[in-house]
């Protein structure tokens, strides 16, 4: 039985491990990767070598068998050290759907190689150009054949396709007009991108280095055993993954926020203007302290959501609130850090502007703040549906 002390020591060890790895990948490394718009292959390889990307894979399949809260420490630590956990986080938040709903054959076929770092599950195909956050309106369709499915459609804002061997994907297997509830008729597939043809990725240049793509599926033949769970139940399955995703993204935002607060505090203590450190001025000091307070409060909700998830309890509201609070706290800390640095904050060599751009993403994705508020308003407070 794992005690609280054991869990605390484990997480302390995980933080120390990430700190150690990140010493080999300082600000200059991430600055170069960002400028070149390239995948941080060296960092990902180093992280893979530790087994961290198999953190959620059960020990029986060769993984570390950690909980989501434990895994969140890894992503938080990467960002707190000035890095970007985006290139690796999907392998953690997609894992829940496979573990909870995948077949034993799928688990035995892929999980050991994922845990060993031989296979990457980094691509998650949900969002579409005409559907956006309205997942039930997706149009990508998997038509049943004698030996599997033929997939046609388009996804957008799908990251890391070029660096992933597997893709977890949602597609309709029954037309929306033929189902009673709009969430019915959507299925989940685990596609081995190495074994199919007809998948085309077109990079989208964005304000952050996130390997984002449009992905087109042209008569892609996928085997019947690529189906995860039952046909038509994919929307329900993906909700598990979305809760995990929001908790993990919250941990990344906490890491970002701590980096911003540390950099702002240090700069405010060292930078002298008019013969005194600017941090002596309450107008500089208080916003940094306020950002820290909000960040610590958001972190508490992150742990509340993670504990519920790991206990197998309902955590939709908590996961949403954790993501909302953490993304807003990290954005507040980013703005304060930029303001504290003044003109130097705009200079690439200080890394504030890079992290400023990166953390802004999380107020939009993987779910926008407005959608979170509508979820809380309807499902927690019992108010009428707002959309």
């Amino acid at each position: 039985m794992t005690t609280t002390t054991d869990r605390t020591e484990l997480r302390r060890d995980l933080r120390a491990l990430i700190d150690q790895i990140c010493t080999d990948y300082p600000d200059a490394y991430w600055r170069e990767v960002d400028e070149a718009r390239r995948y941080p292959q060296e960092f990902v390889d180093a992280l893979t070598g530790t087994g961290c990307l198999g953190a959620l894979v059960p020990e029986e399949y060769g993984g570390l068998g950690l909980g989501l809260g434990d895994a969140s420490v890894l992503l938080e630590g990467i960002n707190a050290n000035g890095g970007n956990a985006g290139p690796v986080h999907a392998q953690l938040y997609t894992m829940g759907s496979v573990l909870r709903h995948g077949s034993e054959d799928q688990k035995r076929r892929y999980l050991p190689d994922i845990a060993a770092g031989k296979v990457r599950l980094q691509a998650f195909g949900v969002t579409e150009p005409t559907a956006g956050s309205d997942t039930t309106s997706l149009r990508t369709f998997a038509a049943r054949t004698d030996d599997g499915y033929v997939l046609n459609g388009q996804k957008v804002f799908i990251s890391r396709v070029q660096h992933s061997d597997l893709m977890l994907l949602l597609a309709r297997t029954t037309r929306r007009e033929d189902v009673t509830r709009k969430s019915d008729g959507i299925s989940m597939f685990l596609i081995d991108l190495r074994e199919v043809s007809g998948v085309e990725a077109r990079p989208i240049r964005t304000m952050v280095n996130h390997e984002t793509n449009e992905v087109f599926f042209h008569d892609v033949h996928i085997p019947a055993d690529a189906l995860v769970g039952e046909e038509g139940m994919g929307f329900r399955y993906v909700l598990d993954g979305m809760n995990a995703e929001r908790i993990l993204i919250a941990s990344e935002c906490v890491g970002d926020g701590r980096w911003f607060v540390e950099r702002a505090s240090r700069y405010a203590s060292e930078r002298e203007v008019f013969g005194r450190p600017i941090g002596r001025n309450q107008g500089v000091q208080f916003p940094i302290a306020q950002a820290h307070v909000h960040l610590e409060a958001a972190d508490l909700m992150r742990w509340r959501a993670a504990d519920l998830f790991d206990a197998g309890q309902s955590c939709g509201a908590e996961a949403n609130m954790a993501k909302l609070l953490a993304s807003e706290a990290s954005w507040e800390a980013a703005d304060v850090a930029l303001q504290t640095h003044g003109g130097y904050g705009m200079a690439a060599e200080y890394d504030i502007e890079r992290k400023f751009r990166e953390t802004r993403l999380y107020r939009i994705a993987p779910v926008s703040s407005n959608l979170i508020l509508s979820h809380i308003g309807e499902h927690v407070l019992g108010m009428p549906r707002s959309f």
Side-chain angles (χ1 to χ4, degrees), residues 178-191:
D178 296 329
V179 297
T180 304
R181 294 181 300 181
K182 60 183 181 180
S183 59
D184 290 341
I186 298 174
S187 299
M188 177 179 286
F189 297 92
L190 182 59
I191 299 174

Side-chain angles (χ1 to χ4, degrees), residues 68-88:
L68 190 74
D70 305 324
S72 76
V73 169
L74 302 172
L75 302 184
E76 175 195 342
I78 294 170
N79 283 21
N81 276 281
N84 181 2
V88 298

Side-chain angles (χ1 to χ4, degrees), residues 25 39-51 53 88 117 120:
Y25 301 93
Y39 189 72
Q41 188 67 55
E42 306 84 359
F43 174 76
V44 176
D45 287 345
L47 197 63
T48 301
T50 67
L53 294 188
V88 298
R120 288 180 182 166

Side-chain angles (χ1 to χ4, degrees), residues 236-291:
R236 293 162 182 79
Y237 298 160
V238 81
L239 292 180
D240 288 338
M242 286 180 175
N243 286 335
E245 180 184 44
R246 287 162 195 181
I247 294 167
L248 291 172
I249 292 298
S251 73
E252 291 181 51
C253 290
V254 168
D256 276 342
R258 292 204 165 122
W259 185 89
F260 284 119
V261 167
E262 190 278 329
R263 291 297 174 99
S265 300
R266 188 202 314 170
Y267 188 81
S269 299
E270 297 173 351
R271 173 67 167 162
E272 291 191 2
V273 179
F274 301 118
R276 54 187 272 167
I278 62 174
R280 280 191 180 181
N281 301 309
Q282 293 180 357
V284 174
Q285 183 181 119
F286 285 9
I288 300 173
Q290 185 79 49

Side-chain angles (χ1 to χ4, degrees), residues 66-143:
L66 303 182
L68 190 74
D70 305 324
S72 76
V73 169
L74 302 172
L75 302 184
E76 175 195 342
I78 294 170
N79 283 21
N81 276 281
N84 181 2
V88 298
H89 62 194
Q91 190 145 308
L92 297 177
Y93 66 67
T94 55
M95 197 56 59
S97 296
V98 177
L99 293 175
R100 295 188 182 200
H101 308 293
S103 68
E104 187 59 31
D105 178 67
Q106 288 170 331
K107 294 175 186 178
R108 296 201 176 278
R109 190 189 319 167
Y110 295 120
L111 294 186
D113 283 344
I114 290 174
K118 298 177 182 178
V119 170
R120 288 180 182 166
L121 171 54
Q122 284 287 352
F124 193 27
V126 177
T127 307
E128 297 189 1
T130 59
S133 298
D134 183 8
T135 304
T136 60
S137 294
L138 61 82
R139 298 179 180 178
T140 297
F141 195 80

